[in-house]
Amino acid sequence: MKQKWLRDESEQWVNEGIIRPEQRDAIMSRYKGRDRLSLIFFLSALLIGLSCLSFVAANWQVIPELIRMLIIILFMVGFYILGHVFEQRANPYYGMISYVVALSIFGAGIFLVGQMYHYTMNSVFAFIVWGIVAYLLYLSRPYFFIFLSGLAIVTVGAIYGLANMHAFDWWLFALFVIGYGSIVLIQNNRLISYFFAISYSIQLMGYTMDYLGSYYWFSVFGLLLYLFGLVVYKEQISIPFRRTPLVIMFGLLLIQTLIFEFSYRPEVHVVFYLILTVMLIIAIVMISRKNHLLKLSHLVIFLPIFLAGDLSQFLAYIVLYVFSVGMILDGYQSDHERRFHFGTGAFLLTTLTVYVQVAWGFLNQSLFFLLGGIILFFIGFLLERKRKTMTGQKRKGV
């Protein structure tokens, strides 16, 4: 798909006189398609290996324990060697898949060996070992999907501990923050930073819901990630660390507007107020020093709206609109198209949520959908016109 896009676009560049035909040929030569035949052989080997593993799993109980250990080691080492061979033959993509399969077999082996010797899984120690091996494997073979596999292992381990033992393992979280966090800082890759921030959010959302017993504590952890994004000067890390908690908190606030409708009020510990207040003050000072005053509107999404009592739902609507409009204005002022698009989407979702909750009860359903469609079309038309104006100014270099 990417190669087809590049071929079509480069042909248009030649027609517009941006590049010469020989330059187009040089560009296309750098993006040759993968060898389909080697992919077929690799997939066939992978399927054969999986079929052998399935057969072994189905007959696991009747196989002697020593043979079981040999099978696990054989498959694990075999796929690792296969990955090395692919690397030597300039097929890093297939090599990466082989390493991921070897890592998966290692993890499965931990649990199968534990089952053989009747080891009870009353801790996440297996996930700690598995996560360390994934971390070390990434250090020796720095492929993105190996890093992603390590994040998945640590995240699943944290959720497993909360779901089965109602305990959050801080050693596993330390491995995540120190080990995988150091990779994020070193690599300075936006996609890696996004996945790290998402994993962080999933783990601490589970911690707040299961261990602390209240969702509102996530606003503290989300704001902590946002503050770290303000401190980090590397844009490839700073943007994901700031944007991820904003998106999650926006979604949580939309859900809270439904909760507030039923007069739900959680009990709040005084420590929560103190921590959140201090962190908000720090965020305000940091944003003000950078002269990004429009970004102050981002912080309203972290406010504890539920404290307003019966006015919580109405106040939530105001906060959602302030956040959305602030994001639109920030994107427009900084000439940041993606930020503008995010603000536009947030504004439309807010309008739709408010409209559904306010108008559904007293409007005829056909009139409800008709009026809603007209309102959203009008809003979308205005925002799209503003977006085109911004994009046009950007192309002209204004």
Side-chain angles (χ1 to χ4, degrees):
M1 184 65 185
K2 292 182 179 179
Q3 192 175 19
K4 182 180 182 300
W5 175 86
L6 182 61
R7 183 172 60 250
D8 296 338
E9 286 293 315
S10 60
E11 185 177 352
Q12 186 176 353
W13 296 340
V14 171
N15 296 333
E16 294 177 359
I18 299 175
I19 61 175
R20 297 189 301 273
E22 54 271 21
Q23 291 175 320
R24 177 180 181 270
D25 295 337
I27 293 173
M28 292 300 300
S29 65
R30 299 186 62 180
Y31 298 92
K32 294 179 180 179
R34 294 191 183 97
D35 185 0
R36 266 60 173 184
L37 189 60
S38 60
L39 175 61
I40 293 174
F41 283 119
F42 173 76
L43 290 177
S44 66
L46 182 61
L47 290 174
I48 292 172
L50 291 175
S51 67
C52 294
L53 284 176
S54 300
F55 175 79
V56 170
N59 300 275
W60 188 252
Q61 297 299 328
V62 298
I63 301 174
E65 292 183 354
L66 180 60
I67 303 299
R68 296 181 196 179
M69 292 292 295
L70 290 175
I71 289 173
I72 293 172
I73 295 173
L74 178 65
F75 274 97
M76 181 180 65
V77 175
F79 272 102
Y80 188 86
I81 293 174
L82 184 63
H84 180 71
V85 170
F86 274 124
E87 279 188 323
Q88 295 299 315
R89 296 184 178 181
N91 283 312
Y93 180 76
Y94 307 139
M96 176 267 298
I97 296 177
S98 299
Y99 291 134
V100 171
V101 173
L103 180 63
S104 303
I105 294 173
F106 175 81
I110 294 177
F111 296 101
L112 290 174
V113 171
Q115 184 186 30
M116 280 193 303
Y117 296 101
H118 308 288
Y119 175 75
T120 56
M121 288 291 295
N122 55 0
S123 71
V124 296
F125 178 73
F127 289 97
I128 295 176
V129 174
W130 196 4
I132 292 174
V133 170
Y135 173 73
L136 295 176
L137 179 61
Y138 178 83
L139 294 182
S140 62
R141 299 292 187 272
Y143 293 112
F144 169 74
F145 279 101
I146 295 177
F147 174 82
L148 195 60
S149 300
L151 280 187
I153 291 167
V154 174
T155 306
V156 172
I159 300 302
Y160 174 83
L162 289 168
N164 291 275
M165 293 160 282
H166 301 286
F168 189 79
D169 194 277
W170 291 104
W171 288 107
L172 184 63
F173 190 71
L175 170 63
F176 167 75
V177 173
I178 300 173
Y180 291 90
S182 62
I183 293 175
V184 173
L185 293 176
I186 294 171
Q187 290 293 338
N188 192 26
N189 181 281
R190 181 170 297 194
L191 191 58
I192 285 179
S193 301
Y194 266 119
F195 276 104
F196 181 87
I198 292 171
S199 176
Y200 169 91
S201 302
I202 292 174
Q203 292 181 64
L204 290 179
M205 178 63 74
Y207 176 68
T208 57
M209 295 295 290
D210 186 84
Y211 196 77
L212 297 179
S214 296
Y215 69 91
Y216 61 80
W217 272 101
F218 181 77
S219 59
V220 171
F221 298 119
L223 185 55
L224 180 63
L225 185 62
Y226 185 87
L227 284 174
F228 193 80
L230 291 175
V231 172
V232 177
Y233 65 90
K234 298 178 180 179
E235 191 177 80
Q236 302 298 323
I237 301 174
S238 175
I239 291 177
F241 278 23
R242 286 185 284 114
R243 189 171 294 171
T244 301
L246 291 179
V247 172
I248 294 175
M249 288 302 302
F250 178 82
L252 282 177
L253 191 53
L254 283 177
I255 296 173
Q256 288 180 68
T257 58
L258 301 174
I259 297 176
F260 294 149
E261 190 174 358
F262 299 98
S263 301
Y264 172 76
R265 302 292 179 270
E267 296 183 4
V268 185
H269 199 280
V270 65
V271 177
F272 170 79
Y273 300 125
L274 294 176
I275 296 175
L276 188 63
T277 302
V278 171
M279 294 176 69
L280 283 172
I281 292 174
I282 294 173
I284 291 171
V285 171
M286 293 178 66
I287 292 174
S288 300
R289 285 184 175 180
K290 294 182 179 181
N291 294 323
H292 296 158
L293 297 182
L294 280 174
K295 285 186 171 58
L296 292 174
S297 62
H298 299 176
L299 300 179
V300 299
I301 207 72
F302 296 103
L303 295 176
I305 307 300
F306 52 83
L307 298 178
D310 294 333
L311 295 176
S312 296
Q313 190 175 35
F314 176 73
L315 188 59
Y317 295 149
I318 295 177
V319 167
L320 287 171
Y321 273 119
V322 169
F323 173 78
S324 304
V325 173
M327 188 67 70
I328 292 173
L329 294 176
D330 184 26
Y332 183 75
Q333 185 185 63
S334 60
D335 202 20
H336 197 290
E337 193 170 348
R338 287 186 179 179
R339 196 173 300 157
F340 183 86
H341 288 163
F342 174 69
T344 302
F347 185 86
L348 291 174
L349 279 175
T350 301
T351 302
L352 180 62
T353 301
V354 173
Y355 177 70
V356 168
Q357 293 187 3
V358 173
W360 180 261
F362 60 85
L363 279 181
N364 178 274
Q365 291 186 6
S366 59
L367 181 61
F368 170 86
F369 288 114
L370 176 62
L371 184 59
I374 293 173
I375 292 174
L376 290 178
F377 177 81
F378 181 70
I379 293 173
F381 172 77
L382 293 177
L383 292 174
E384 179 65 15
R385 188 171 66 175
K386 180 64 70 176
R387 184 193 68 81
K388 288 182 178 179
T389 302
M390 186 178 69
T391 304
Q393 290 177 348
K394 186 176 180 180
R395 289 178 177 175
K396 292 178 182 179
V398 177

